[in-house]
Amino acid sequence: MTGDVRMMKILSHYDESVYQYLCGNSNKHIPKIFELYKDAQGNLIVIEEFIQGNTFDIIINNPTIPEKTKLKYFLDLLEGLTFLHNAPNPIIHRDLKPSNIMLTEKGEIVILDYDAAKIYKPDSTGDTTFLGTDGVAAPEQYGFMQSDPRSDIYAVGKMLSVAFPSNSRIQKIAEKATSFDPEKRYPNAKILSDVLAGRLSPSLRLKPIFPPPGYRTRKWWKMLIATFSYLFIIWTCADFHSNDDPLFNNLTRIILILTILFSVDICNSWTGIFDVLPFVTHRNFFLRSLFKFLFIMLFWISLTTLVATLVVMTGHSV
């Protein structure tokens, strides 16, 4: 009657309350639902907006697309998820994957296919039926526990790891988003969006201290070099003295040890503590190396100034 093109879906597995909410509440990242009704067999008939464009595969698998552009699309995706998760009864998509996400001809991100979607029920202990895609579905969707907004966070994390293979900062975010334990993931799409956009610092999981750099790859030549290097550092620090003042010598040894530890940590991402510093994990090697050097120098100068001030205040000579 109108001449517009619509999509008609016939669903045998569905959560009708999901489509009822979407029908009465529109969002630019969700296809508009025009009509709902059931046929004689109990199938749900959904008449919805027909979305034209390319699936999200073109975003995550195309290395020529700038990371800034990719990031913008992911932030749009998380904006759509936030709309779903912030419903009075949160809507969990449960089958979030590239083929269910569309980049329209206008450059907008639209989340499709709510066949597996469900309303989150706080008093439920598990999902009644497994619906999802192997490799993308969160572990809890296989019957371990009830899926919740963090299940969709898991799927986004999987796509992030593919879309940004060389970006160590985003890889760490993706690692947290895809933790097996939902409690260790980002709690909702808004926080993940803020972390990705740099509005919040990612809560990085610290790496174990042992084994230290040089021993982590288990390559014999690296371990040999590391052994001699660490022994040389220990000998240098222990044997160091510049004048006859014991206090000054000891404080200088402390400066030397801390500067070396800081240098090893920031250059090798030993503990992960300093990975949050600007440009330390930048994909450009020269920019990354320059800022690591600058941070090491800044650390050494600050520490030296502090110790020199303390020495002077105690009446010792520098």
Side-chain angles (χ1 to χ4, degrees):
M1 293 175 64
T2 63
D4 295 329
V5 179
R6 300 281 184 255
M7 173 73 74
M8 183 177 77
K9 304 180 73 173
I10 303 174
L11 307 177
S12 57
H13 296 283
Y14 56 86
D15 187 332
E16 187 175 356
S17 57
V18 169
Y19 285 95
Q20 287 175 343
Y21 180 81
L22 296 180
C23 186
N25 299 271
S26 61
N27 182 274
K28 65 178 181 179
H29 300 299
I30 312 296
K32 183 174 178 57
I33 307 296
F34 295 100
E35 190 175 353
L36 297 173
Y37 61 91
K38 291 184 179 179
D39 63 15
Q41 289 73 41
N43 297 316
L44 183 67
I45 312 299
V46 182
I47 310 298
E48 66 180 42
E49 180 183 8
F50 178 67
I51 305 296
Q52 290 183 297
N54 294 299
T55 60
F56 210 53
D57 295 275
I58 197 173
I59 304 300
I60 68 173
N61 294 316
N62 190 340
T64 64
I65 298 179
E67 286 196 345
K68 185 177 180 180
T69 303
K70 285 186 179 183
L71 184 59
K72 186 264 183 189
Y73 290 138
F74 270 94
L75 294 178
D76 287 347
L77 169 62
L78 290 167
E79 186 177 292
L81 277 182
T82 299
F83 164 76
L84 294 173
H85 296 168
N86 284 350
N89 295 308
I91 297 173
I92 318 303
H93 191 283
R94 293 203 300 171
D95 197 20
L96 205 62
K97 57 185 178 181
S99 60
N100 284 342
I101 304 167
M102 189 74 75
L103 174 62
T104 71
E105 296 172 341
K106 296 180 180 180
E108 296 176 342
I109 295 297
V110 179
I111 304 171
L112 309 176
D113 293 340
Y114 296 85
D115 309 7
K118 56 161 281 189
I119 295 292
Y120 174 64
K121 301 177 178 63
D123 56 343
S124 179
T125 58
D127 290 345
T128 305
T129 306
F130 165 69
L131 291 172
T133 302
D134 286 342
V136 179
E140 58 269 20
Q141 291 181 234
Y142 292 87
F144 291 102
M145 62 191 74
Q146 183 190 192
S147 53
D148 62 20
R150 295 169 298 183
S151 302
D152 289 341
I153 296 298
Y154 183 95
V156 176
K158 284 288 187 181
M159 290 184 284
L160 282 170
S161 66
V162 176
F164 301 90
S166 302
N167 190 312
S168 58
R169 183 185 79 91
I170 295 184
Q171 285 296 318
K172 287 184 176 66
I173 293 172
E175 181 182 356
K176 181 176 175 64
T178 55
S179 297
F180 183 89
D181 184 355
E183 294 294 333
K184 295 181 180 179
R185 299 176 205 157
Y186 297 102
N188 56 59
K190 179 64 169 64
I191 289 180
L192 177 53
S193 177
D194 287 341
V195 169
L196 276 176
R199 293 186 289 267
L200 289 177
S201 296
S203 179
L204 300 178
R205 194 178 307 159
L206 296 183
K207 302 175 184 178
I209 296 178
F210 296 100
Y215 297 91
R216 293 179 294 189
T217 60
R218 301 297 182 184
K219 294 182 178 180
W220 69 268
W221 60 273
K222 286 188 176 181
M223 292 192 290
L224 184 63
I225 294 174
T227 299
F228 280 107
S229 298
Y230 290 132
L231 288 175
F232 177 76
I233 290 170
I234 294 172
W235 176 78
T236 301
C237 293
D239 191 59
F240 179 86
H241 63 276
S242 59
N243 59 33
D244 296 327
D245 190 334
L247 175 62
F248 180 75
N249 287 334
N250 289 332
L251 289 176
T252 304
R253 290 189 186 102
I254 292 174
I255 293 175
L256 186 59
I257 292 172
L258 291 178
T259 302
I260 291 172
L261 290 176
F262 179 84
S263 303
V264 172
D265 199 335
I266 199 171
C267 290
N268 296 277
S269 188
W270 183 2
T271 65
I273 293 175
F274 303 108
D275 287 352
V276 296
L277 292 174
F279 299 103
V280 163
T281 58
H282 198 277
R283 61 177 179 170
N284 184 292
F285 172 79
F286 296 102
L287 192 60
R288 183 172 67 244
S289 301
L290 172 62
F291 273 87
K292 285 182 177 180
F293 174 76
L294 291 176
F295 283 127
I296 290 171
M297 293 303 299
L298 180 61
F299 178 84
W300 180 80
I301 292 171
S302 301
L303 199 59
T304 303
T305 303
L306 175 62
V307 172
T309 302
L310 290 174
V311 169
V312 171
M313 290 177 63
T314 56
H316 291 74
S317 60
V318 180

